């Protein structure tokens, strides 16, 4: 039985995914309280609103519950994106963004990356470094605020 070389090579290649780095902001005071990463912004926003992972980050979900009790929803803003087959690089970029936001904005309710001690310049350098390694590349700049 002959194996089609083209088919077997393409079957081995992972499919690139677009990863979005986003913030959640409390619209009552316009304070960013969380930085995250997702491949599906709408679904991740719904996950935040419906407490699907509440046990993992109680403080974040308590704040969202308080907002919802006051008929307010957090604002989700995409601050960066990248398309890659290497999710590890995407998560490194997210970690650097989280640290950068901690430095610039103060306390976040993230439970990952809280022990990161990089300086602002080191976080910026890490974002640039890991994005330079991404195989497909990042073509997004600026920010995009979404409301659902």
């Amino acid at each position: 039985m002959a194996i089609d070389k083209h088919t077997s090579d393409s079957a081995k290649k992972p499919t690139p995914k677009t990863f979005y780095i986003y913030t959640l902001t409390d619209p009552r005071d316009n304070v960013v309280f969380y930085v995250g990463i997702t491949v599906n912004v709408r679904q991740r926003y719904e996950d935040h609103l419906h407490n699907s992972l509440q046990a993992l980050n109680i403080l974040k979900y308590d704040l969202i519950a308080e907002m919802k009790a006051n008929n307010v929803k957090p604002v989700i803003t995409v601050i960066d994106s990248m398309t890659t087959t290497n999710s590890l690089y995407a998560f490194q970029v997210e970690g650097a963004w989280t640290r950068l936001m901690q430095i610039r904005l103060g306390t976040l309710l993230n439970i990952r990356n809280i022990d990161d001690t990089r300086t602002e310049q080191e976080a910026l350098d890490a974002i640039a470094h890991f994005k330079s390694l991404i195989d497909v590349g990042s073509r997004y700049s600026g920010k995009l605020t979404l409301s659902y």
Side-chain angles (χ1 to χ4, degrees):
M1 177 176 173
I3 297 175
D4 180 3
K5 182 172 174 30
H6 177 70
T7 302
S8 63
D9 286 348
S10 64
K12 293 178 186 176
K13 290 183 181 179
T15 304
K17 293 181 184 175
T18 300
F19 292 85
Y20 300 93
I21 310 293
Y22 65 91
T23 60
L24 291 178
T25 302
D26 185 337
R28 298 172 297 179
D29 56 12
N30 290 319
V31 171
V32 171
F33 63 90
Y34 184 80
V35 176
I37 187 170
T38 188
V39 294
N40 184 329
V41 176
R42 180 182 296 269
Q43 182 59 54
R44 188 65 184 109
Y45 185 68
E46 290 298 320
D47 290 346
H48 284 297
L49 291 180
H50 300 295
N51 302 324
S52 65
L53 302 171
Q54 180 177 9
L56 297 176
N57 192 333
I58 294 168
L59 293 175
K60 176 179 61 170
Y61 287 101
D62 284 351
L63 178 59
I64 292 171
E66 177 189 314
M67 281 188 255
K68 288 168 54 178
N70 289 292
N71 295 315
V72 175
K73 291 181 182 178
V75 175
I76 190 166
T77 303
V78 174
I79 59 171
D80 200 357
S81 72
M82 66 223 73
T83 302
T84 183
T85 57
N86 190 329
S87 61
L88 295 177
Y89 290 160
F91 284 102
Q92 289 294 326
V93 172
E94 179 215 11
W97 268 111
T98 301
R99 178 60 182 150
L100 186 62
M101 292 300 212
Q102 285 172 330
I103 292 167
R104 291 183 174 177
L105 303 174
T107 305
L108 296 174
L109 298 182
N110 289 66
I111 56 175
R112 289 187 310 135
N113 304 314
I114 58 172
D115 57 348
D116 191 336
T117 59
R118 286 181 280 202
T119 65
E120 182 173 4
Q121 188 58 54
E122 289 169 336
L124 287 167
D125 291 345
I127 292 168
H129 170 72
F130 283 104
K131 288 183 78 168
S132 73
L133 298 176
I134 290 174
D135 45 57
V136 177
S138 175
R139 301 289 177 256
Y140 178 81
S141 63
K143 74 179 193 178
L144 171 66
T145 301
L146 308 168
S147 44
Y148 296 108

